[in-house]
Amino acid sequence: MHSTLRTRTAAGHTTRRTRRTAQAAAAALVAGALTLTACGGGDDGKDKDGDGGKGTASGGTSTVSLPKLDGTTLEVAAVWTGAEQANFKKVLAEFQKRTGAKVTFVPAQDPIINFLGSKIAGGAPPDVAMLPQVGAIKQAVDKKWAKPLGPDAQDQLAKNYAQGWQDLGAVDGKQYGVYYKAANKSLVWYNAKVFENAGAEEPGTWQDFLRTAQTVYDSGVTPVSVGGADGWTLTDWFENVYLSQAGPEKYDQLAQHEIKWTDPSVKDALTTLAQLWGNKNLIAGGPDGALQTEFPASVTQTFTGGEQPKAGMVYEGDFVAVNIAETKAKIGTDAKVFPFPAVGDKPPVVSGGDAAVILKDSKGAQALATFLASPDAATIQAKLGGYLSPNKSVDLSAYPNAVQRKMAKSLIAAGDDFRFDMSDQAPQSFGGTPGKGEWKVLQDFLKNPKDVAGAQKKLEADAAAAYKD
């Protein structure tokens, strides 16, 4: 399924689904991270339900018919915390308002499959779970936890989603997942004042990136913040380097474990990463400090501290905007962004996402999945920021700033042309578990980037065990 997805390879600087565009003022907000391809107007010319896809979040007409569910109670589990959780709860509140159902958000822990397993073993599974890995969807289906989507939800998917996003939520030809949230994992955010003081420019290639990092270091600021306490950030670093350097075909093969992690292409990617991770001057706090820095702090420490922040740049997806919002920095002026630099011929195009999967089949659960597949639900969260929807019927005007509008526009323009996060395609024991598998091996590698061969052997041993299971 995943190998059918194609990476965008248009010339120029790309992010996950985008190319660099040079426009003044508002376009400077994305600082080259986005491509403006033939998207047309704000609703991409696809007024699916007669109201431009705006939904009731902006006071418009509903685009989806939902049943009355008075007396129905539902539980939705997700690993989201902080602002992400608070914003999603507003979406659930709208569903409650329309249907009369009562919906409770259940905070889950990583790995969510283990969390759900304990709930199911105890006879109390949530009705719907937001699964952040393709591999987790397959596991839920294999364990016979997941229930297929009904015709109403499938109808919303067919109207509102590119085939690639539908395929990611399907297993053996049956549709199980609604990709409610997308992520652009090919962006580097930077402190504009630090760059200005250093005379640094946005890099286009990996070697340019290393030179820019050195320029920032020479100005008196540590250049790169790494949230190494969260292993998933390190898998994202690897995937961007690997996709750009080894190419999409190798990426697909490694994602499915059709080639081993001892392959020379993995050696090349780890060796490239070691050029950054192995230079303690370039990493905030050095490797040891990075391993104690959780993802949210990796962002906030880049955009606090005046002209002497702890770092000048931080790599991660579009969702970084949520954490920047916790500082005084303004996106587009204080905080800018550029595409992950090209290691090989082309910059990487890596995506991620969260899918709603039904665990307890009912009229209420099916209605909630249908709602989450509609533009109405996504419009509510789009207005709150720090969120991108793969739903092509969401009006671009719903997004609160030019950065996110352009990210959303190019996301939709890319259609099926993207590669999904590799670790999210893997069995969760390898690609999605704290302290285990790829997360742990890459944390060890961050601490000792000289041991490329040792890291490869550990990655292969863990991968072989996980894929066999």
Side-chain angles (χ1 to χ4, degrees), residues 388-402:
L388 285 177
S389 172
N391 188 316
K392 63 188 178 183
S393 299
V394 174
D395 196 302
L396 292 177
S397 66
Y399 292 94
N401 57 55

Side-chain angles (χ1 to χ4, degrees), residues 118-380:
S118 65
K119 287 285 190 182
I120 289 168
D127 297 270
V128 175
M130 308 301 292
L131 300 185
Q133 287 98 15
V134 174
I137 298 176
K138 187 176 188 306
Q139 281 182 277
V141 173
D142 290 345
K143 292 174 183 289
K144 303 191 185 308
W145 296 349
K147 312 303 179 188
L149 296 176
D152 291 342
Q154 290 191 53
D155 181 57
Q156 287 294 318
L157 284 176
K159 288 197 295 183
N160 301 321
Y161 285 77
Q163 190 62 47
W165 286 103
Q166 295 181 57
D167 290 346
L168 286 169
V171 177
D172 297 331
K174 283 189 179 180
Q175 198 72 44
Y176 291 92
V178 170
Y179 268 89
Y180 170 73
K181 186 176 187 291
N184 178 336
K185 294 194 171 186
S186 297
L187 301 173
V188 179
W189 300 77
Y190 68 95
N191 186 312
K193 193 62 170 177
V194 168
F195 266 48
E196 180 184 341
N197 290 344
E201 296 182 355
E202 295 172 11
T205 68
W206 181 257
Q207 291 307 314
D208 289 342
F209 178 69
L210 294 176
R211 281 191 285 269
T212 296
Q214 186 63 46
T215 298
V216 171
Y217 175 78
D218 291 342
S219 76
V221 176
T222 307
V224 182
S225 179
V226 177
D230 291 314
W232 59 268
T233 67
L234 305 184
T235 69
D236 290 350
W237 272 102
F238 172 82
E239 288 155 9
N240 276 274
V241 169
Y242 188 85
L243 177 57
S244 183
Q245 192 169 43
E249 290 185 11
K250 283 274 193 183
Y251 185 96
D252 289 339
Q253 291 169 356
L254 188 61
Q256 301 304 320
H257 202 224
E258 293 170 0
I259 58 174
K260 294 184 176 182
W261 285 80
T262 49
D263 190 84
S265 61
V266 177
K267 176 183 177 181
D268 291 344
L270 291 174
T271 301
T272 297
L273 272 177
Q275 294 174 347
L276 175 67
W277 291 2
N279 188 335
K280 63 181 181 181
N281 292 334
L282 302 184
I283 303 292
D288 289 339
L291 286 167
Q292 296 174 40
T293 303
E294 295 180 342
F295 164 68
S298 74
V299 177
T300 55
Q301 72 180 14
T302 306
F303 298 102
T304 53
E307 297 196 4
Q308 284 292 317
K310 290 186 178 178
M313 294 179 275
V314 60
Y315 155 69
E316 253 312 336
D318 56 271
F319 43 85
V320 164
V322 172
N323 303 94
I324 294 175
E326 296 170 357
T327 73
K328 294 180 180 179
K330 298 265 193 299
I331 294 174
T333 52
D334 308 312
K336 295 185 179 182
V337 66
F338 59 83
F340 195 97
V343 184
D345 292 338
K346 304 197 181 295
V349 180
V350 178
S351 71
D354 297 88
V357 175
I358 294 172
L359 302 182
K360 287 171 63 177
D361 199 2
S362 67
K363 184 178 180 181
Q366 290 287 352
L368 180 57
T370 300
F371 180 61
L372 293 176
S374 76
D376 296 22
T379 296
I380 297 168

